[in-house]
Amino acid sequence: MEPVRPEFAPDPDLSRDEMEALQHDVADAAEFTDSFDFAPTDVTANHVPPETVTGVNETLSTGGPDAGDDDTESGGIGAASDSERPLIAGVDQAFLDDHAVSAVVLLRGSTVVDRVYAVTELSTPYIPGLLSFREGGPIIDALSAVERDPDLLVFDGSGRIHYRQAGLATHMGVVFDTPSVGVAKNLLCGTPAESVTDRPAGWRTPIHADADVNADPGTVIGHAYQSRQYDTNRTINPLYVSPGHRVSAETTVELVAAVGGKYKLPEPTRLADAYADEVKRDLSE
DNA sequence: GCGACAG
DNA sequence: ATCTTGTCGC
């Protein structure tokens, strides 16, 4: 795929004020309403709702072809096989000295159909709120190597949950004008509607815009979503999911749940994370 | 000045 | 994000 709107590409050489100005433009260009042509229920064959797990490792599965196709899943009119399912791209990075290894794993259902990566020199430090100016370039490099246009991009980081409603997922979604969602492990800004501690799998609560966010106070900019949970001692923190581009806050939760597997992180992102680490390891030997 | 802050 | 062993619990 290629950047459809390169004018929004994050230039790491901009001044801080210019970066923030560009983010305002990105937020204005972003669409936080559903605008994609596949059903969330077609994303995966096995719509296993989030479970409360008892163990840690069960059977190792890295997304290889599944044993059989289920033509009789919920809905009935869904895709019959992985080959008909929407193309989902998971994006994540690993770092090595002053270089970023950006990895993209493409999935159709539970089948990994492609993996690409790019090694790019970093030119800007990590600054909360300006992440896309550090990782955006490297990510664009990797996504540009993807042959087919994904139906959805899943990022490791925030989307609309951002001071200027222009987090990494939103910024990249706008640059490629592709539906995208952000999945962060920590909350950047905004206020959860209720306590997020020790919640059962499947639980979610809205994240509202507060004084730190450039949006009408109370606007739902994302959700805390408990993808997995243990039934005993230790507890797992929730994920903070938010719209990137062309997806609503509510649908974002549904999509993240749909692409989620048996781990805390959704499969696309989890596999991209592992791939980035793998490339990094091979690269440092 | 103090506190807060995705990856 | 990254630097890293053991350890608790199923």
Side-chain angles (χ1 to χ4, degrees), chain A residues 10-251:
Chain A
D11 178 354
D13 292 324
L14 297 177
S15 66
R16 181 170 185 134
D17 284 348
E18 293 172 322
M19 289 180 174
E20 296 187 356
L22 177 57
Q23 292 185 322
H24 280 116
D25 292 340
V26 167
D28 285 341
E31 294 171 35
F32 300 127
T33 54
D34 297 326
S35 177
F36 52 91
D37 54 23
F38 62 89
T41 49
D42 277 347
V43 172
T44 305
N46 40 308
H47 293 155
V48 188
E51 307 165 25
T52 291
V53 295
T54 298
V56 181
N57 289 313
E58 294 167 44
T59 305
L60 293 174
S61 71
T62 349
D66 270 355
D69 290 333
D70 267 291
D71 213 341
T72 56
E73 70 237 31
S74 61
I77 321 175
S81 66
D82 280 357
S83 62
E84 298 173 44
R85 300 180 187 290
L87 185 62
I88 312 295
V91 185
D92 192 31
Q93 313 192 77
F95 301 89
L96 186 52
D97 293 321
D98 55 347
H99 287 271
V101 175
S102 302
V104 179
V105 172
L106 296 145
L107 293 153
R108 273 204 140 95
S110 55
T111 306
V112 173
V113 298
D114 198 12
R115 302 197 299 178
V116 305
Y117 74 84
V119 179
T120 310
E121 183 164 15
L122 294 164
S123 45
T124 301
Y126 163 69
I127 296 173
L130 299 177
L131 180 65
S132 60
F133 290 90
R134 172 178 171 77
E135 308 190 346
I139 288 174
I140 290 175
D141 289 344
L143 287 176
S144 296
V146 174
E147 298 295 336
R148 291 210 28 177
D149 286 7
D151 294 295
L152 176 72
L153 303 176
V154 182
F155 292 95
D156 193 26
S158 285
R160 194 180 186 183
I161 293 181
H162 179 273
Y163 306 121
R164 292 165 289 282
Q165 301 190 81
L168 182 69
T170 299
H171 204 140
M172 294 298 100
V174 167
V175 167
F176 288 94
D177 190 24
T178 298
S180 63
V181 297
V183 180
K185 294 180 285 296
N186 292 289
L187 185 60
L188 173 64
C189 58
T191 307
E194 52 188 310
S195 170
V196 305
T197 62
D198 201 26
R199 299 297 189 173
W203 177 90
R204 68 198 65 174
T205 199
I207 299 299
H208 293 124
D210 55 25
D212 294 335
V213 181
N214 180 42
D216 296 324
T219 299
V220 177
I221 55 178
H223 290 81
Y225 171 59
Q226 193 73 48
S227 57
R228 304 290 289 182
Q229 188 54 278
Y230 291 122
D231 56 9
T232 53
N233 298 312
R234 263 183 299 188
T235 70
I236 297 177
N237 292 139
L239 291 174
Y240 293 94
V241 306
S242 58
H245 179 47
R246 293 168 57 176
V247 180
S248 68
E250 295 66 31
T251 303

